[in-house]
Amino acid sequence: MATFFGEVVVAPSRAGVDDEEEARDETPEDREIRRELEKKREIDVLWTWKSAESAADEQLVCSKLIVAIGHNAAAFLSSFILDSVCWEVVGVVKLWNEWCRTTSTTNILLTDSFCLFYRLIADPTVLLCQCSCYVAEDQQFQWLEKVFGCMRREGLQVTILSTCPVADYKTQESTLTLPSPFLKALKTKEFKEHVCCPLLEQPNIVRDLPAA
């Protein structure tokens, strides 16, 4: 049970029971097709700082990570932050699903990437992530596991930027009188710094990869 609005809680799930029931009804052909699809939907994270000589468990030191999810948030980073030469590309996420296609190449190609990581040259512990692609529901945990599995999480501050239509915003006042665009925030109880905008009111929620 959440102790305050916006806290991340883990809800009980019967997904494991459903998976067992489905597995009993599968034919060998169905299992093979499912395995091939699962393999194709696996997410790969490629880093420039990792070489063949790097240790398998070597982790990136990161103090601040800013993740822009969606076309509008990614465009905001491009226009106001990444338009200088202060940043360098250090990583890319390769994924495949119903709405996103990237090649299986092992090289970092800017023209074929929908999810890029940038590092601040002046302070290599500060990272930006531009994620303008769709990450399917069954890929979200894998995305988090592989991206954050490469980073040291002690003292890491993560900021998520995302957008949603004004029509989805729940408020007692008319949305016609609201300034557009406007900014709201959610935070964890561990975040002690000043919040630069008002907090998001109940019963509004965040969905998909930003929520994950």
Side-chain angles (χ1 to χ4, degrees), residues 138-212:
D138 62 309
Q139 295 176 313
Q140 292 169 11
F141 177 75
Q142 189 184 162
W143 193 98
L144 295 169
E145 189 177 46
K146 293 199 173 182
V147 168
F148 286 99
C150 299
M151 301 178 185
R152 294 183 188 173
R153 292 188 288 272
E154 296 81 6
L156 172 61
Q157 182 185 102
V158 181
T159 302
I160 310 295
L161 303 176
S162 67
T163 59
C164 69
V166 175
D168 292 345
Y169 180 63
K170 297 175 177 61
T171 177
Q172 292 183 346
E173 59 182 297
S174 171
T175 54
L176 296 176
T177 63
L178 293 171
S180 183
F182 60 91
L183 189 65
K184 299 283 184 175
L186 286 175
K187 69 181 185 70
T188 62
K189 57 187 176 184
E190 286 79 13
F191 186 82
K192 305 299 182 184
E193 298 183 19
H194 173 70
V195 180
C196 64
C197 62
L199 295 179
L200 185 66
E201 309 91 344
Q202 298 187 50
N204 293 285
I205 61 174
V206 178
R207 297 182 175 85
D208 301 321
L209 186 61

Side-chain angles (χ1 to χ4, degrees), residues 1-211:
M1 182 176 179
T3 56
F4 68 97
F5 179 64
E7 183 181 3
V8 178
V9 295
V10 180
S13 172
R14 289 180 50 82
V17 177
D18 295 338
D19 290 343
E20 291 173 4
E21 291 175 356
E22 288 178 8
R24 284 196 294 269
D25 297 332
E26 277 185 335
T27 65
E29 292 79 11
D30 291 337
R31 283 194 291 272
E32 182 62 27
I33 293 172
R34 182 169 57 83
R35 278 195 296 266
E36 288 299 319
L37 280 174
E38 288 175 353
K39 185 177 180 180
K40 195 168 187 178
R41 294 173 75 89
E42 286 182 2
I43 290 176
D44 291 317
V45 183
L46 309 176
W47 300 98
T48 59
W49 58 273
K50 278 203 169 187
S51 62
E53 293 77 25
S54 301
D57 58 349
E58 184 179 354
Q59 291 183 313
L60 179 65
V61 177
C62 184
S63 61
K64 287 183 172 61
L65 172 63
I66 300 174
V67 185
I69 301 174
H71 292 288
N72 291 336
F76 175 82
L77 282 191
S78 294
S79 301
F80 295 100
I81 299 179
L82 293 171
D83 60 344
S84 67
V85 294
C86 301
W87 302 88
E88 60 178 349
V89 176
V90 293
V92 63
V93 175
K94 296 283 186 178
L95 56 88
W96 182 97
N97 58 45
E98 297 82 358
W99 301 102
C100 181
R101 302 285 193 274
T102 57
T103 64
S104 57
T105 178
T106 56
N107 298 319
I108 294 179
L109 302 175
L110 301 186
T111 57
D112 185 50
S113 302
F114 302 93
C115 188
L116 287 169
F117 287 88
Y118 297 83
R119 180 165 59 187
L120 184 62
I121 296 175
D123 183 358
T125 67
V126 177
L127 295 183
L128 294 181
C129 174
Q130 256 187 328
C131 184
S132 59
C133 63
Y134 170 72
V135 181
E137 197 170 303
D138 62 309
Q139 295 176 313
Q140 292 169 11
F141 177 75
Q142 189 184 162
W143 193 98
L144 295 169
E145 189 177 46
K146 293 199 173 182
V147 168
F148 286 99
C150 299
M151 301 178 185
R152 294 183 188 173
R153 292 188 288 272
E154 296 81 6
L156 172 61
Q157 182 185 102
V158 181
T159 302
I160 310 295
L161 303 176
S162 67
T163 59
C164 69
V166 175
D168 292 345
Y169 180 63
K170 297 175 177 61
T171 177
Q172 292 183 346
E173 59 182 297
S174 171
T175 54
L176 296 176
T177 63
L178 293 171
S180 183
F182 60 91
L183 189 65
K184 299 283 184 175
L186 286 175
K187 69 181 185 70
T188 62
K189 57 187 176 184
E190 286 79 13
F191 186 82
K192 305 299 182 184
E193 298 183 19
H194 173 70
V195 180
C196 64
C197 62
L199 295 179
L200 185 66
E201 309 91 344
Q202 298 187 50
N204 293 285
I205 61 174
V206 178
R207 297 182 175 85
D208 301 321
L209 186 61

